Amino acid sequence: MRLLNLQEIGFAHPYDLHPSKRKLLTIASAIAMDTPIAALDEPSGGLDSKQRKLLRIALQTLREKKKTVIIVSHDIDQFLGLCDTIVILAAGEIVFYGGKEELAARPDLRTILRRSGLSLPVLWRMARVLRFEVMPSTAEEFATLLLQREAP
C-alpha cells in the first residue's frame, strides 16, 4: 500500500474508490502476494501522471527483487525502460520477439509498430531527429546521451 501511496484507503471498500485508485489497489494486492511472476494487463490505463510514476516505481521495485513482470500494454513509452524482452503481437501473431536494442535497430521497425497499432516511442523519435546512435529507454538515458553530445 505504501509503495503505491494508498495508505489512506487501507480500510475503504474497493467499490467506494475512484476507478484509478481501485486499479492501483488491485496492483498493490498482486504485489503483496509476493509471487515470483506478476502479470499486468494495461496497468497504466486510466491513471494520471502521478499515479503512473508510482506504478513505474513499484514495477522497478519488483525488478530489483528479481521478480518476473509481464506487462501487456499499448503504452510503449510508459514501460520501455522496464523491459528486458519485448513481444509485439499483431492479429494474434508474434511479429517481434527480442530486446529493446534489437527492436530499435530493425529497419522495418515502423512497419512492425504500425501493423500492431503501436507508435514509435517518443524518446526514440527525438533520438532519431537528433541522430543518436543509441535509442534511449528512459528520460535519464536520453538526458545522458544529450549531455554527452553537447560536452566539449
Side-chain angles (χ1 to χ4, degrees):
M1 299 287 280
R2 207 172 313 113
L3 190 58
L4 290 167
N5 198 27
L6 297 173
Q7 304 92 310
E8 79 280 359
I9 64 163
F11 295 101
H13 191 285
Y15 289 112
D16 293 335
L17 300 174
H18 185 276
S20 63
K21 290 277 188 179
R22 198 175 318 144
K23 180 174 267 198
L24 289 176
L25 179 61
T26 302
I27 293 167
S29 299
I31 291 170
M33 288 191 288
D34 199 31
T35 59
I37 300 171
L40 306 170
D41 186 12
E42 298 289 355
S44 61
L47 302 182
D48 63 26
S49 61
K50 184 177 177 183
Q51 292 168 329
R52 285 169 171 252
K53 184 175 182 179
L54 289 170
L55 175 62
R56 272 193 311 276
I57 291 167
L59 295 176
Q60 184 60 41
T61 301
L62 290 176
R63 280 180 52 103
E64 290 165 5
K65 290 182 176 184
K66 306 295 184 209
K67 305 288 184 177
T68 297
V69 180
I70 299 168
I71 301 167
V72 177
S73 181
H74 290 86
D75 192 352
I76 295 176
D77 292 302
Q78 176 73 19
F79 301 109
L80 186 63
L82 296 169
C83 297
D84 295 318
T85 304
I86 297 171
V87 179
I88 298 178
L89 302 171
E93 175 188 332
I94 295 174
V95 294
F96 176 82
Y97 178 92
K100 295 175 276 204
E101 295 80 14
E102 183 184 348
L103 179 61
R106 290 286 296 256
D108 60 344
L109 173 61
R110 288 187 186 272
T111 303
I112 290 171
L113 295 175
R114 196 175 314 114
R115 184 173 167 202
S116 303
L118 301 172
S119 300
L120 188 66
V122 171
L123 291 174
W124 289 7
R125 277 187 252 158
M126 293 188 308
R128 282 184 171 195
V129 167
L130 295 170
R131 300 188 193 282
F132 287 170
E133 292 181 25
V134 177
M135 292 296 112
S137 299
T138 65
E140 292 78 14
E141 286 177 25
F142 183 85
T144 299
L145 290 169
L146 191 58
L147 289 172
Q148 288 172 349
R149 174 180 242 185
E150 292 180 359

